Amino acid sequence: MAEDRDADRPYWSIDMPGLDEHRAAELAGLVRRSDAGIMATPVDPRFWLTLHLDRETVEVIREALAAAPATAVTAALVESFDEWLDRPADTGAAPRAGRSAHGGEDGAGGP
């Protein structure tokens, strides 16, 4: 299934400063019409915050969220960060061991 293959691939994005809505739509259309098989999705900065964070920043934010009072939002963000951090970096680093979305080691659930 194509969706299963896509889940195993890294998700790349392109940051294009100065791009306006019209040009973003034009570029997305060009990509969709190409033979690359890539679905381009313009992201409107008026409604979406797109963060390009390095690994160390994600680790720091993740630890702060894990130590904060648990809410559905903090748990979802920790889980998203864990999923991203568990992917090996291009530098050959191994996935992090034993972190859970609940903040503890090996799913223990504590801070």
Side-chain angles (χ1 to χ4, degrees), residues 86-102:
D86 286 342
R87 291 192 98 128
D90 289 340
T91 60
R96 298 172 319 124
R99 298 304 282 173
S100 77
H102 303 291

Side-chain angles (χ1 to χ4, degrees), residues 49 51 53 57-85 96 100-103:
L49 172 62
L51 300 173
L53 303 172
T57 301
V58 171
E59 289 172 346
V60 169
I61 294 171
R62 185 245 177 257
E63 292 304 318
L65 289 169
T71 68
V73 172
T74 58
L77 285 169
V78 168
E79 182 178 355
S80 293
F81 287 165
D82 281 344
E83 288 174 7
W84 185 79
L85 288 167
R96 298 172 319 124
S100 77
H102 303 291

Side-chain angles (χ1 to χ4, degrees), residues 3-95:
E3 292 172 4
D4 292 336
R5 282 193 315 267
D6 291 342
D8 294 333
R9 291 191 299 196
Y11 182 92
W12 283 84
S13 66
I14 299 172
D15 187 16
M16 301 179 84
L19 195 62
D20 62 22
E21 183 177 1
H22 176 74
R23 291 175 61 202
E26 278 183 2
L27 287 171
L30 286 171
V31 170
R32 282 192 294 271
R33 289 186 300 273
S34 74
D35 291 331
I38 300 170
M39 174 53 77
T41 306
V43 178
D44 188 334
R46 294 173 296 181
F47 303 106
W48 298 95
L49 172 62
T50 303
L51 300 173
H52 296 263
L53 303 172
D54 62 76
R55 184 167 285 274
E56 184 177 355
T57 301
V58 171
E59 289 172 346
V60 169
I61 294 171
R62 185 245 177 257
E63 292 304 318
L65 289 169
T71 68
V73 172
T74 58
L77 285 169
V78 168
E79 182 178 355
S80 293
F81 287 165
D82 281 344
E83 288 174 7
W84 185 79
L85 288 167
D86 286 342
R87 291 192 98 128
D90 289 340
T91 60

